[in-house]
Amino acid sequence: MKHQHPYTKTIIIVLSFLFMITSCAKKESNHFVGMTKVVLREAGNQLLLRNLDSTSLILPVKEIEPYFYSISFEKPLRFEPSNIVTVIDSSLNLASLSKNYRVEVLQCADREVAYSYEMNVEEERTIIPCAGRFLPEACYTINIQFLDIVVPSGFRKKHVPYVLVFGVLVYVFFLYIRKSKSQPISEEKSTLSYSIIGSFQFYPEQSKLVKSATEISLSKKECELLEIFVAHPNQIIKRDDLTKKIWEDNGVFVGRSLDTYISKLRKILKDDDSIRITNAHGIGYKLEMD
């Protein structure tokens, strides 16, 4: 039986918790939107009745953005601002919706604000100007924006994507920890690039040869020379090319340094008869591989 990784249970709990929170938030948000549209539609109906209009239609209530709604009417109508204040306030109170909101009555023709007011649970912050003056008959749109809304779950609908992203990051983080702790050292080593030279494994990045689990360290020059030979097996490489690539680029006088390092490589590789570094007289060297 496989043992469950110690972080698996934690990951499941975190993701389940996040899913539960986001699901609850979505349900609460949908409930708020649905209830608000019903209440505002009824408020629009009451305004028409007070305008002695029982036949024209109230257009669908629109959610312009979260907690911002719009009521439109089929026909022009004449408003008394005090009626708007009374009807909307009583409708929202009946449904126990927020008591902090702002109302704007816009003229359809130019979208200018014909009348506006703000209600607040703190009475001194409530602003209701010119409530006794009639608005002339025209096409109007009523916008209602709820202020300082706090969803019971502790965050708003717009925060849900951030919570989901956080959950994904937590999940990825735990996966990373799990992978880094469970990966054996031998597996990491196996990912290092190497070349096969007869019975040797050549690791240029680590400057070493490996044969039968025995490691042979190479000097920087030995490694650079062998790397050139491995890149051109069974090909004669001119002395000038070797010295230029290994020494002259560094501005160092060569002398017989090349021959010395070739001799060292031959001694290292002598245990394998299938490979050898041969001398092309007067030209250069060649790594012969069977």
Side-chain angles (χ1 to χ4, degrees), residues 10 29 49-50 125 127 150 168 183 186 203 214 234 269:
T10 303
S29 178
L49 292 177
R50 294 199 179 203
R125 297 178 61 183
I127 304 173
V150 178
V168 172
Q183 187 177 33
S186 59
Y203 293 84
T214 301
N234 298 311
L269 301 175

Side-chain angles (χ1 to χ4, degrees), residues 12-23:
I12 294 174
I13 292 174
V14 170
L15 293 180
S16 299
F17 177 70
L18 291 172
F19 177 77
M20 179 181 67
I21 290 178
T22 53
S23 297

